[in-house]
Amino acid sequence: MQKFISMASFEWPNRIVPSGWLEHGPFAFWLMEQLKPRLTVELGTQRGYSFACFCQSVKKMKYPGRVICVDTWKGDEHAGIVDKMGDEMHADLQAHVDENYKGIGELKRTFFSEALNHVEDGTVDLLHVDGRHFYDDAKEDHTT
């Protein structure tokens, strides 16, 4: 029987920011430990809680993984429209990556469809989709 909890599940996140994903941090740490993905891509990140958990896992486990997050930092109907605050969120997350996850984490400030040019086909081992929650948008994210 597969265990769905491990010591990684008790890892304390280095970045705690407002997020609908806060209670899923233990799952992120466990999942990264189980899969050890070479490339993790997160579509939609806003303040970067889950993205930072993925990066923290790669760093702690010391394996050659990379994590890319893709977001416009403009918000949407589900995450909230952030206007100029998006620039602050992006800068704050970039500073966190620069300080803690150089060579592991990378922010792509673009639309999901445009980010395809930055990732080779067949290289994504783990895809975390947290974009707009309308059916057509989620279907496009998955299909693309």
Side-chain angles (χ1 to χ4, degrees), residues 88-106:
E88 294 170 18
M89 284 190 264
H90 178 266
D92 179 62
L93 182 55
Q94 185 65 63
H96 182 74
V97 169
D98 291 345
E99 183 177 334
N100 298 285
Y101 306 118
K102 276 277 195 206
I104 295 172
E106 183 178 350

Side-chain angles (χ1 to χ4, degrees), residues 22-23 26 36-37 40-41 46 70 79-80 83 90-91 114 122 126 136:
L22 286 175
E23 65 271 14
K36 293 181 182 60
T40 301
V41 174
Q46 203 172 45
V70 181
D83 293 323
H90 178 266
E114 295 168 0
L126 176 61
D136 288 339

Side-chain angles (χ1 to χ4, degrees), residues 75-124:
D76 60 37
E77 299 89 336
H78 298 110
I81 305 300
V82 294
D83 293 323
K84 292 193 184 259
M85 193 169 68
D87 292 337
E88 294 170 18
M89 284 190 264
H90 178 266
D92 179 62
L93 182 55
Q94 185 65 63
H96 182 74
V97 169
D98 291 345
E99 183 177 334
N100 298 285
Y101 306 118
K102 276 277 195 206
I104 295 172
E106 183 178 350
L107 280 59
K108 297 283 186 190
R109 193 167 191 178
T110 187
F111 291 101
F112 299 165
S113 59
E114 295 168 0
L116 289 171
N117 300 326
H118 301 280
V119 178
E120 289 184 45
D121 287 347
T123 61
V124 178

Side-chain angles (χ1 to χ4, degrees), residues 38-89:
R38 291 163 297 162
L39 179 59
T40 301
V41 174
E42 178 171 86
L43 302 179
T45 198
Q46 203 172 45
R47 289 184 172 91
Y49 174 76
S50 52
F51 167 75
C53 287
F54 296 143
C55 290
Q56 182 177 333
S57 294
V58 171
K59 184 176 180 178
K60 179 163 182 145
M61 289 187 289
K62 298 178 182 167
Y63 75 94
R66 290 181 31 237
V67 185
I68 297 172
C69 72
V70 181
D71 202 314
T72 62
W73 281 273
K74 293 181 181 182
D76 60 37
E77 299 89 336
H78 298 110
I81 305 300
V82 294
D83 293 323
K84 292 193 184 259
M85 193 169 68
D87 292 337
E88 294 170 18
M89 284 190 264

Side-chain angles (χ1 to χ4, degrees), residues 10-25:
F10 297 97
E11 184 72 24
W12 190 260
N14 290 336
R15 180 175 177 81
I16 299 179
V17 291
S19 172
W21 237 73
L22 286 175
E23 65 271 14
H24 302 301

